[in-house]
Amino acid sequence: MEYKDKLKIAALTIASLAALSSVIFLITSSSKHYRRRRRKQQQQQKQSSSCYLQSHQKPQLSFKRVLLDNSFSQFKHLNLNASSSNLHPYEAEIKALIENPESFEDCYSDHQKMSEFFSYVWIETETQLKDLAHTLSKHKVFAVDTEQHSLRSFLGFTALIQISTRNEDYLVDTIALHDVMGVLAPVFADPTICKVFHGADNDVLWLQRDFHIYVVNLFDTAKACEVLSKPQKSLAYLLETYCGVATNKLLQREDWRQRPLSAEMLEYAQTDAHYLLYIAGCLIAELKLQDRDNSNCPNDKLDFVLEARCRSNMICLQLYAKEVEAFPGESAASSIFSRHLNGQRGSSISYETQDLVRCFCTWRDLMARVHDESLRYVLSDQAIVFLAVKVPTTPEEIFDTIAEADLNVENVNLNSSLPSPSPAVCSHLDDLYYLIKDKKSNADEVLLQILQNCLGPNGSCPLSVYNYALLINCDLIMKNRLVSKQSPVINSKQVARKASRELFVQKFSCKSPVYHNCRIYANDGRLLCYCDRRKLEWYLRRDLAKLVDDDALAIMLLFEPKGRPEDEGNDFYIQSKKNICVCCGEGSHYLRYRIIPSCYRMHFPEHLKSHRSHDIVLLCVDCHELAHAAAEKYKKQVAKEFGIPLFVRKVVDSKEIPVISESSSSVMNVEETGVSPLHLRTAAMALLRHGQRMPLKRREELTQIVMQYYGGREISEEDLERALLVGMSPHERRRFEKKRRFSSKHSTEVILLDKEQMGAAYTMAVSATGNSLEKAVTKDGLETTEMESTGTKELDYFTVKDTISDKEMNSDENEASDTKDEYVGNDDDNCEGGPSNGTTRNDESAPHKNNSKLSLLGHGPHGKQVVDHILEEYGEDGIRQFCQRWRLVFVEAVHPRFLPAGWDVMHRI
């Protein structure tokens, strides 16, 4: 019996292997057959030499008017008052709703459960649309949802809008009515009518993009879920919880352009909006219940209903912005380098491969714009990688390479049904061939010629409202690039600048997302703030909180926090934030930027800066450069206004002060003896490196500069090494030594001397102006002398320990000078009572008790004097007004369009 069982097992194994071999054979043969069939189609299209759009009509090509085409121009928002187009046209109305929220009682006094069996009205004519607008204007509330299509469109468009009132459901055919959808704009902008959405962040932007429809007075059921600390906030969860209805979310990815829609798609679309009013009513009831339960708490300032509505209306303030690149395909190429060629990064990627990737990305970008297709539909990233690495030499090889690359992707993603190669590639296969052929010569000229062949006077591709402006825009971009390449001088400067920019991005940009948008709730369920993952883990490891949501990480504290956002009306801290540049929306890279320069903020009182991230934003390199330039310019205005110079003018070794003061004119001798800290370092470095080889006269000049610092006495090599570090903070010293690989035979002795004589060696900073020495004051290791000069009173002298101990040498690496602080910011969203992630960052979370950490080389001394003056004259209100001035400088310099909701120039710290 056992023998028979073994035979059966062997027979089954052989049969399985045979079946598997058959499957592999069928897949291989079908793949070959598929490629042969596609190649035949490609050859037929090549013979006809016409674009596939000549015979394939897309629904959006019937639109006569679009607000956003595929050219490189920016999107223009509705301009109601002839002011800046960067402002929201209904900003005043939305802010009024946020600042003075009203009750929902009239809208949700009755929320009866709606029937599962319902009819709908299909809106497809302008008359029906006008009747719908008139009907909606009579309601106090209605629900809205949208369905989008992005695969066969470069920028995407709204294919369907679902609107539900208490009496009827409407499905609006936005393809048939695209050109007249503005009829609904007044209803959506009416602040007396509440519009209910679920997860409205994208819907609000899409309505602006396609129809200039701006939503005013919004209630977002997803935001209500946040306030109520629901375990999930998806619409599918709410439908199942409150209505017992299950939906197939895979239908969201269906082609919503098709007409007529299938019965399943119609039911799905209607369901999304049909139950929203009932769900909103249920959530409002729960919010009111929370208010009643907490009404016995005298210190309870939070109204749950109004909080949900306030957060909802924050979404309305968003403005759609079009991503415009300096050159087509640049960001896509960078993405491919980082994702698909990650294992080959660095020197192993040849310049030829990189150029091909950029060239293919540019061609794909242009073809997508011309044909109004998505990038992934025209040519996949994987296909670009295959083409750049394999470098096929014939159109047939190009065709097969693309098919092979996409076949590998399809084996991973079995649901993929995109044609490969795409019709756009098949119609313009020769373009790719010429790009590869001319890769070493004039690829840009070929791209420009390709665009002319597509859209020129005898172009093969049909003109449409999406691409008619593309030829002019792109022609200018490409010609400017060609001119720069033909001019060696200009081109070399541009190449150097581009290389410098890329190096800057690589070195200073954030290496991971800054905002993780994890949530921290108080023990009573109120949202305290959004924070990063590390902070959540910090609380969980110490059993100070419990996890309440695994998907979108959220915790609830098990203790009463020190403070709450509502205590000061700071809505900023309870809003999720995007990892993009707040000015232009760039998302491929970003840096933290401090709106209030660190040279001032580091000296603020502790409670005005600890765990405060309102004035730390994300900027791309280009916007960062603009903001930084404006800040440096305004610093000069501040220096002039307060009569406090930006830099320390002169320094002198404090050990020589007693010698100097023995003379009859001590002040004049100090000023004559002092020397600029930068000049001192430069002279000392030159003497150490090249002293023996430089001309005698030059060596004597530099020696005199160093001798001035030491009171005129003779100097040794050890003195030169000490002079190199004068005025530096500990972090600057460590960074300098690491950068220069600086090492000397006296360095160990210097540190040992510091241990024995801490406080004995000092540096005296002296202002370049001043006529009389009045008095000296010593406080916390800081020796100061006030001088009266013409018209101003300045804090001119202060002493800082010249050397550092081993403990300071090992202190936090994040303590940086003002220059470094321009590129390194606080942790993302810290909340009151939370940890500082284990370290003190950038001298902002701990006061400077030891002034050896204050650099004399940057603006630190200037910042301290300014802050001390403001506190003495105006108190903390003066500091708040000072911060508001810096925010205005930032806004006027870069005109940010993507600031997080709740950010405000008048924000009170």
Side-chain angles (χ1 to χ4, degrees), residues 94 97-98 101 200-201 218-220 222-229 233 302-318 519-521 525-530 565-566 571 573-576 901-902:
I94 296 171
L97 290 169
I98 295 172
D201 300 77
L218 167 68
F219 182 76
D220 191 333
K223 292 298 180 183
C225 289
E226 287 184 4
V227 176
L228 290 168
S229 303
K233 59 178 183 178
L302 182 67
D303 186 314
F304 282 77
V305 176
L306 300 185
E307 176 67 15
R309 187 179 184 189
C310 181
R311 294 189 195 181
S312 299
N313 280 302
M314 286 284 190
I315 300 173
C316 298
L317 286 174
Q318 296 181 106
R519 291 163 290 153
I520 295 182
Y521 292 96
R526 301 183 195 177
L527 180 64
L528 289 178
C529 67
Y530 283 84
E566 65 268 16
D571 293 326
Y573 295 100
I574 54 175
Q575 303 294 328
S576 60

Side-chain angles (χ1 to χ4, degrees), residues 486-535:
Q486 293 166 2
S487 174
V489 177
I490 298 176
N491 185 47
S492 62
K493 291 181 179 179
Q494 291 179 344
V495 169
R497 179 175 175 80
K498 182 177 180 180
S500 176
R501 181 183 184 276
E502 290 178 352
L503 181 63
F504 190 92
V505 170
Q506 182 181 2
K507 185 174 182 180
F508 292 110
S509 64
C510 301
K511 303 302 184 293
S512 60
V514 174
Y515 301 126
H516 297 169
N517 289 321
C518 303
R519 291 163 290 153
I520 295 182
Y521 292 96
N523 49 10
D524 59 0
R526 301 183 195 177
L527 180 64
L528 289 178
C529 67
Y530 283 84
C531 66
D532 66 356
R533 187 184 298 268
R534 289 177 300 169
K535 187 177 295 300

Side-chain angles (χ1 to χ4, degrees), residues 329-343 345 349 353 356-358 360-361 364 379-386 388:
E330 277 193 354
S331 62
S334 300
S335 176
I336 289 175
F337 290 144
S338 61
R339 292 187 295 114
H340 294 276
L341 296 174
N342 193 40
R345 294 187 69 178
I349 304 180
T353 301
L356 277 175
V357 168
R358 293 190 182 95
F360 291 144
C361 287
R364 180 180 67 172
L379 189 64
S380 67
D381 287 352
Q382 192 66 32
I384 288 179
V385 173
F386 270 53

Side-chain angles (χ1 to χ4, degrees), residues 97-134:
L97 290 169
I98 295 172
E99 295 169 2
N100 303 298
E102 301 171 355
S103 174
F104 277 94
E105 288 186 14
D106 292 337
C107 298
Y108 295 99
S109 57
D110 179 25
H111 58 278
Q112 297 179 356
K113 189 171 182 178
M114 307 182 90
S115 171
E116 295 182 9
F117 301 99
F118 41 83
S119 61
Y120 63 87
V121 178
W122 181 264
I123 307 295
E124 60 182 350
T125 66
E126 185 174 358
T127 301
Q128 288 178 306
L129 189 66
K130 290 179 179 179
D131 291 341
L132 174 61
H134 179 70

